[in-house]
Each structure stands twice: as C-alpha cells, then as structure tokens.
mmCIF file of all heavy atoms in Angstrom:
data_model
loop_
_atom_site.group_PDB
_atom_site.id
_atom_site.type_symbol
_atom_site.label_atom_id
_atom_site.label_comp_id
_atom_site.label_asym_id
_atom_site.label_seq_id
_atom_site.Cartn_x
_atom_site.Cartn_y
_atom_site.Cartn_z
ATOM 1 N N ARG A 896 65.461 -20.251 83.532
ATOM 2 C CA ARG A 896 65.763 -20.436 84.949
ATOM 3 C C ARG A 896 64.600 -19.912 85.763
ATOM 4 O O ARG A 896 64.098 -18.821 85.500
ATOM 5 C CB ARG A 896 67.025 -19.667 85.337
ATOM 6 C CG ARG A 896 68.271 -20.235 84.729
ATOM 7 C CD ARG A 896 69.509 -19.505 85.213
ATOM 8 N NE ARG A 896 70.556 -19.776 84.249
ATOM 9 C CZ ARG A 896 71.442 -18.907 83.863
ATOM 10 N NH1 ARG A 896 71.446 -17.702 84.362
ATOM 11 N NH2 ARG A 896 72.351 -19.235 82.975
ATOM 12 N N ASP A 897 64.203 -20.678 86.736
ATOM 13 C CA ASP A 897 63.116 -20.281 87.634
ATOM 14 C C ASP A 897 61.869 -19.859 86.868
ATOM 15 O O ASP A 897 61.186 -18.908 87.233
ATOM 16 C CB ASP A 897 63.568 -19.156 88.562
ATOM 17 C CG ASP A 897 64.739 -19.554 89.443
ATOM 18 O OD1 ASP A 897 64.766 -20.727 89.875
ATOM 19 O OD2 ASP A 897 65.608 -18.711 89.698
ATOM 20 N N GLY A 898 61.595 -20.534 85.755
ATOM 21 C CA GLY A 898 60.398 -20.257 84.974
ATOM 22 C C GLY A 898 60.491 -19.054 84.057
ATOM 23 O O GLY A 898 59.533 -18.713 83.379
ATOM 24 N N LEU A 899 61.659 -18.386 84.016
ATOM 25 C CA LEU A 899 61.829 -17.215 83.161
ATOM 26 C C LEU A 899 62.812 -17.529 82.036
ATOM 27 O O LEU A 899 63.795 -18.228 82.241
ATOM 28 C CB LEU A 899 62.343 -16.027 83.972
ATOM 29 C CG LEU A 899 61.445 -15.540 85.095
ATOM 30 C CD1 LEU A 899 62.136 -14.436 85.881
ATOM 31 C CD2 LEU A 899 60.116 -15.046 84.546
ATOM 32 N N PHE A 900 62.543 -16.987 80.860
ATOM 33 C CA PHE A 900 63.403 -17.192 79.706
ATOM 34 C C PHE A 900 64.354 -16.015 79.562
ATOM 35 O O PHE A 900 64.007 -14.876 79.878
ATOM 36 C CB PHE A 900 62.566 -17.306 78.418
ATOM 37 C CG PHE A 900 61.757 -18.556 78.344
ATOM 38 C CD1 PHE A 900 60.448 -18.576 78.781
ATOM 39 C CD2 PHE A 900 62.317 -19.725 77.857
ATOM 40 C CE1 PHE A 900 59.700 -19.736 78.717
ATOM 41 C CE2 PHE A 900 61.579 -20.892 77.797
ATOM 42 C CZ PHE A 900 60.261 -20.899 78.228
ATOM 43 N N GLY A 901 65.527 -16.293 79.057
ATOM 44 C CA GLY A 901 66.493 -15.233 78.796
ATOM 45 C C GLY A 901 67.326 -15.582 77.580
ATOM 46 O O GLY A 901 67.487 -16.751 77.217
ATOM 47 N N LEU A 902 67.860 -14.549 76.944
ATOM 48 C CA LEU A 902 68.748 -14.746 75.801
ATOM 49 C C LEU A 902 70.127 -15.144 76.284
ATOM 50 O O LEU A 902 70.629 -14.616 77.274
ATOM 51 C CB LEU A 902 68.886 -13.447 75.000
ATOM 52 C CG LEU A 902 67.784 -13.069 74.042
ATOM 53 C CD1 LEU A 902 68.047 -11.709 73.440
ATOM 54 C CD2 LEU A 902 67.651 -14.102 72.949
ATOM 55 N N THR A 903 70.738 -16.033 75.573
ATOM 56 C CA THR A 903 72.131 -16.369 75.810
ATOM 57 C C THR A 903 72.978 -15.389 74.989
ATOM 58 O O THR A 903 72.444 -14.673 74.119
ATOM 59 C CB THR A 903 72.431 -17.805 75.346
ATOM 60 O OG1 THR A 903 72.228 -17.870 73.931
ATOM 61 C CG2 THR A 903 71.545 -18.812 76.069
ATOM 62 N N PRO A 904 74.284 -15.339 75.212
ATOM 63 C CA PRO A 904 75.130 -14.487 74.357
ATOM 64 C C PRO A 904 74.972 -14.820 72.869
ATOM 65 O O PRO A 904 74.934 -13.920 72.031
ATOM 66 C CB PRO A 904 76.540 -14.774 74.861
ATOM 67 C CG PRO A 904 76.341 -15.125 76.310
ATOM 68 C CD PRO A 904 75.050 -15.909 76.324
ATOM 69 N N LEU A 905 74.838 -16.103 72.554
ATOM 70 C CA LEU A 905 74.628 -16.502 71.165
ATOM 71 C C LEU A 905 73.286 -15.984 70.645
ATOM 72 O O LEU A 905 73.181 -15.531 69.501
ATOM 73 C CB LEU A 905 74.698 -18.033 71.046
ATOM 74 C CG LEU A 905 74.608 -18.629 69.649
ATOM 75 C CD1 LEU A 905 75.751 -18.127 68.770
ATOM 76 C CD2 LEU A 905 74.625 -20.148 69.724
ATOM 77 N N GLY A 906 72.258 -16.035 71.484
ATOM 78 C CA GLY A 906 70.942 -15.530 71.097
ATOM 79 C C GLY A 906 70.964 -14.028 70.864
ATOM 80 O O GLY A 906 70.335 -13.518 69.932
ATOM 81 N N LEU A 907 71.692 -13.321 71.705
ATOM 82 C CA LEU A 907 71.814 -11.874 71.545
ATOM 83 C C LEU A 907 72.518 -11.535 70.240
ATOM 84 O O LEU A 907 72.106 -10.630 69.512
ATOM 85 C CB LEU A 907 72.552 -11.281 72.738
ATOM 86 C CG LEU A 907 72.558 -9.774 72.857
ATOM 87 C CD1 LEU A 907 71.148 -9.205 72.900
ATOM 88 C CD2 LEU A 907 73.329 -9.351 74.095
ATOM 89 N N LYS A 908 73.551 -12.289 69.932
ATOM 90 C CA LYS A 908 74.271 -12.073 68.671
ATOM 91 C C LYS A 908 73.354 -12.340 67.477
ATOM 92 O O LYS A 908 73.335 -11.580 66.515
ATOM 93 C CB LYS A 908 75.504 -12.970 68.608
ATOM 94 C CG LYS A 908 76.339 -12.763 67.376
ATOM 95 C CD LYS A 908 77.578 -13.643 67.391
ATOM 96 C CE LYS A 908 78.367 -13.445 66.110
ATOM 97 N NZ LYS A 908 79.532 -14.318 66.046
ATOM 98 N N ALA A 909 72.571 -13.424 67.562
ATOM 99 C CA ALA A 909 71.660 -13.772 66.468
ATOM 100 C C ALA A 909 70.558 -12.727 66.299
ATOM 101 O O ALA A 909 70.097 -12.483 65.181
ATOM 102 C CB ALA A 909 71.037 -15.146 66.720
ATOM 103 N N ALA A 910 70.144 -12.102 67.399
ATOM 104 C CA ALA A 910 69.081 -11.091 67.336
ATOM 105 C C ALA A 910 69.540 -9.830 66.617
ATOM 106 O O ALA A 910 68.740 -9.100 66.049
ATOM 107 C CB ALA A 910 68.610 -10.734 68.741
ATOM 108 N N GLY A 911 70.835 -9.573 66.637
ATOM 109 C CA GLY A 911 71.346 -8.365 65.996
ATOM 110 C C GLY A 911 71.144 -7.159 66.897
ATOM 111 O O GLY A 911 70.928 -7.282 68.100
ATOM 112 N N GLN A 912 71.210 -5.990 66.295
ATOM 113 C CA GLN A 912 71.070 -4.763 67.074
ATOM 114 C C GLN A 912 69.680 -4.695 67.704
ATOM 115 O O GLN A 912 68.672 -4.868 67.038
ATOM 116 C CB GLN A 912 71.286 -3.536 66.203
ATOM 117 C CG GLN A 912 71.226 -2.253 66.990
ATOM 118 C CD GLN A 912 71.505 -1.026 66.121
ATOM 119 O OE1 GLN A 912 71.852 -1.142 64.966
ATOM 120 N NE2 GLN A 912 71.353 0.139 66.698
ATOM 121 N N VAL A 913 69.662 -4.444 68.992
ATOM 122 C CA VAL A 913 68.412 -4.347 69.731
ATOM 123 C C VAL A 913 68.259 -2.914 70.208
ATOM 124 O O VAL A 913 69.138 -2.371 70.860
ATOM 125 C CB VAL A 913 68.402 -5.318 70.938
ATOM 126 C CG1 VAL A 913 67.140 -5.151 71.750
ATOM 127 C CG2 VAL A 913 68.573 -6.749 70.459
ATOM 128 N N VAL A 914 67.147 -2.300 69.860
ATOM 129 C CA VAL A 914 66.875 -0.932 70.274
ATOM 130 C C VAL A 914 66.124 -0.978 71.591
ATOM 131 O O VAL A 914 65.091 -1.647 71.704
ATOM 132 C CB VAL A 914 66.045 -0.185 69.203
ATOM 133 C CG1 VAL A 914 65.732 1.220 69.655
ATOM 134 C CG2 VAL A 914 66.782 -0.182 67.879
ATOM 135 N N ARG A 915 66.667 -0.301 72.588
ATOM 136 C CA ARG A 915 66.027 -0.277 73.898
ATOM 137 C C ARG A 915 64.741 0.539 73.833
ATOM 138 O O ARG A 915 64.693 1.577 73.193
ATOM 139 C CB ARG A 915 66.970 0.368 74.902
ATOM 140 C CG ARG A 915 67.042 -0.459 76.104
ATOM 141 C CD ARG A 915 68.194 -0.229 76.979
ATOM 142 N NE ARG A 915 67.784 -0.399 78.341
ATOM 143 C CZ ARG A 915 67.567 -1.572 78.888
ATOM 144 N NH1 ARG A 915 67.691 -2.651 78.194
ATOM 145 N NH2 ARG A 915 67.214 -1.666 80.131
ATOM 146 N N PRO A 916 63.687 0.070 74.501
ATOM 147 C CA PRO A 916 62.422 0.822 74.477
ATOM 148 C C PRO A 916 62.536 2.144 75.245
ATOM 149 O O PRO A 916 63.384 2.287 76.128
ATOM 150 C CB PRO A 916 61.438 -0.132 75.175
ATOM 151 C CG PRO A 916 62.277 -1.059 75.967
ATOM 152 C CD PRO A 916 63.604 -1.154 75.290
ATOM 153 N N ASN A 917 61.694 3.076 74.884
ATOM 154 C CA ASN A 917 61.648 4.353 75.591
ATOM 155 C C ASN A 917 61.124 4.142 77.003
ATOM 156 O O ASN A 917 60.311 3.246 77.248
ATOM 157 C CB ASN A 917 60.729 5.344 74.861
ATOM 158 C CG ASN A 917 61.271 5.728 73.514
ATOM 159 O OD1 ASN A 917 62.470 5.839 73.314
ATOM 160 N ND2 ASN A 917 60.368 5.910 72.557
ATOM 161 N N ALA A 918 61.558 4.977 77.926
ATOM 162 C CA ALA A 918 61.119 4.875 79.321
ATOM 163 C C ALA A 918 59.593 4.946 79.398
ATOM 164 O O ALA A 918 58.966 5.839 78.833
ATOM 165 C CB ALA A 918 61.752 5.989 80.152
ATOM 166 N N GLY A 919 59.021 3.990 80.063
ATOM 167 C CA GLY A 919 57.572 3.928 80.234
ATOM 168 C C GLY A 919 56.847 3.139 79.166
ATOM 169 O O GLY A 919 55.684 2.784 79.350
ATOM 170 N N SER A 920 57.514 2.827 78.062
ATOM 171 C CA SER A 920 56.815 2.131 76.985
ATOM 172 C C SER A 920 56.523 0.675 77.328
ATOM 173 O O SER A 920 55.517 0.125 76.880
ATOM 174 C CB SER A 920 57.588 2.229 75.668
ATOM 175 O OG SER A 920 58.812 1.529 75.742
ATOM 176 N N VAL A 921 57.366 0.042 78.131
ATOM 177 C CA VAL A 921 57.115 -1.354 78.505
ATOM 178 C C VAL A 921 55.825 -1.452 79.300
ATOM 179 O O VAL A 921 54.980 -2.309 79.035
ATOM 180 C CB VAL A 921 58.311 -1.935 79.295
ATOM 181 C CG1 VAL A 921 57.952 -3.268 79.923
ATOM 182 C CG2 VAL A 921 59.522 -2.077 78.382
ATOM 183 N N ILE A 922 55.659 -0.550 80.249
ATOM 184 C CA ILE A 922 54.431 -0.550 81.055
ATOM 185 C C ILE A 922 53.218 -0.315 80.161
ATOM 186 O O ILE A 922 52.214 -1.022 80.257
ATOM 187 C CB ILE A 922 54.511 0.503 82.173
ATOM 188 C CG1 ILE A 922 55.592 0.087 83.189
ATOM 189 C CG2 ILE A 922 53.158 0.694 82.851
ATOM 190 C CD1 ILE A 922 55.969 1.163 84.178
ATOM 191 N N ASN A 923 53.309 0.660 79.291
ATOM 192 C CA ASN A 923 52.182 0.954 78.388
ATOM 193 C C ASN A 923 51.877 -0.221 77.463
ATOM 194 O O ASN A 923 50.710 -0.528 77.216
ATOM 195 C CB ASN A 923 52.457 2.217 77.583
ATOM 196 C CG ASN A 923 52.374 3.455 78.436
ATOM 197 O OD1 ASN A 923 51.664 3.498 79.436
ATOM 198 N ND2 ASN A 923 53.122 4.474 78.068
ATOM 199 N N ASP A 924 52.910 -0.861 76.959
ATOM 200 C CA ASP A 924 52.696 -2.008 76.072
ATOM 201 C C ASP A 924 51.985 -3.139 76.808
ATOM 202 O O ASP A 924 51.061 -3.761 76.270
ATOM 203 C CB ASP A 924 54.026 -2.512 75.504
ATOM 204 C CG ASP A 924 54.624 -1.573 74.475
ATOM 205 O OD1 ASP A 924 53.919 -0.657 73.996
ATOM 206 O OD2 ASP A 924 55.816 -1.752 74.145
ATOM 207 N N TRP A 925 52.407 -3.425 78.044
ATOM 208 C CA TRP A 925 51.740 -4.470 78.829
ATOM 209 C C TRP A 925 50.302 -4.089 79.136
ATOM 210 O O TRP A 925 49.399 -4.925 79.039
ATOM 211 C CB TRP A 925 52.502 -4.760 80.119
ATOM 212 C CG TRP A 925 53.622 -5.714 79.913
ATOM 213 C CD1 TRP A 925 54.965 -5.461 80.000
ATOM 214 C CD2 TRP A 925 53.521 -7.100 79.562
ATOM 215 N NE1 TRP A 925 55.675 -6.596 79.723
ATOM 216 C CE2 TRP A 925 54.820 -7.619 79.462
ATOM 217 C CE3 TRP A 925 52.437 -7.952 79.331
ATOM 218 C CZ2 TRP A 925 55.069 -8.948 79.136
ATOM 219 C CZ3 TRP A 925 52.684 -9.273 79.007
ATOM 220 C CH2 TRP A 925 53.987 -9.762 78.908
ATOM 221 N N LYS A 926 50.073 -2.845 79.496
ATOM 222 C CA LYS A 926 48.712 -2.414 79.807
ATOM 223 C C LYS A 926 47.811 -2.547 78.581
ATOM 224 O O LYS A 926 46.674 -3.009 78.689
ATOM 225 C CB LYS A 926 48.725 -0.979 80.341
ATOM 226 C CG LYS A 926 49.285 -0.906 81.762
ATOM 227 C CD LYS A 926 49.525 0.498 82.250
ATOM 228 C CE LYS A 926 48.292 1.333 82.260
ATOM 229 N NZ LYS A 926 48.508 2.662 82.851
ATOM 230 N N ASN A 927 48.314 -2.175 77.426
ATOM 231 C CA ASN A 927 47.531 -2.315 76.191
ATOM 232 C C ASN A 927 47.255 -3.779 75.874
ATOM 233 O O ASN A 927 46.167 -4.132 75.415
ATOM 234 C CB ASN A 927 48.251 -1.662 75.015
ATOM 235 C CG ASN A 927 48.228 -0.160 75.093
ATOM 236 O OD1 ASN A 927 47.338 0.437 75.696
ATOM 237 N ND2 ASN A 927 49.226 0.475 74.516
ATOM 238 N N ALA A 928 48.221 -4.637 76.109
ATOM 239 C CA ALA A 928 48.062 -6.056 75.793
ATOM 240 C C ALA A 928 47.109 -6.760 76.754
ATOM 241 O O ALA A 928 46.388 -7.669 76.341
ATOM 242 C CB ALA A 928 49.431 -6.750 75.828
ATOM 243 N N LEU A 929 47.086 -6.345 78.016
ATOM 244 C CA LEU A 929 46.305 -7.065 79.022
ATOM 245 C C LEU A 929 44.891 -6.542 79.235
ATOM 246 O O LEU A 929 44.060 -7.233 79.800
ATOM 247 C CB LEU A 929 47.056 -7.063 80.352
ATOM 248 C CG LEU A 929 48.371 -7.842 80.342
ATOM 249 C CD1 LEU A 929 49.139 -7.607 81.628
ATOM 250 C CD2 LEU A 929 48.117 -9.321 80.121
ATOM 251 N N GLY A 930 44.613 -5.321 78.822
ATOM 252 C CA GLY A 930 43.270 -4.773 78.984
ATOM 253 C C GLY A 930 43.110 -3.943 80.240
ATOM 254 O O GLY A 930 44.019 -3.805 81.057
ATOM 255 N N SER A 931 41.903 -3.381 80.411
ATOM 256 C CA SER A 931 41.689 -2.378 81.461
ATOM 257 C C SER A 931 41.754 -2.919 82.883
ATOM 258 O O SER A 931 42.286 -2.259 83.765
ATOM 259 C CB SER A 931 40.369 -1.642 81.238
ATOM 260 O OG SER A 931 39.278 -2.511 81.449
ATOM 261 N N GLY A 932 41.228 -4.104 83.148
ATOM 262 C CA GLY A 932 41.254 -4.644 84.507
ATOM 263 C C GLY A 932 42.668 -4.845 85.024
ATOM 264 O O GLY A 932 43.053 -4.276 86.056
#
C-alpha cells in the first residue's frame, strides 16, 4: 500500500517467531548499510 510492503497475518504466521530488535539497532543497521554520507 502506498509503495510500502507489509506482512499479512498469513505472512506473519509463516515467518514464525519474530524477535524484536533492540532499541536503536534499526537505526544502526540502516546507517551501516547506507554508508557515511
């Protein structure tokens, strides 16, 4: 929707247990993936 992807309830079930990331790790992961600029 609106150019963004999301899991459906069926997709969530198929994924199994999902461990939530630690606070701040999403930002760090993106920064590492995208580089210094």
Side-chain angles (χ1 to χ4, degrees):
R896 291 184 200 142
D897 300 323
L899 299 175
F900 291 93
L902 280 175
T903 63
L905 185 60
L907 190 57
K908 183 178 178 183
Q912 183 177 354
V913 176
V914 178
R915 228 161 145 75
N917 294 325
S920 66
V921 168
I922 293 168
N923 288 332
D924 288 347
W925 276 112
K926 287 171 59 175
N927 288 334
L929 294 171
S931 68

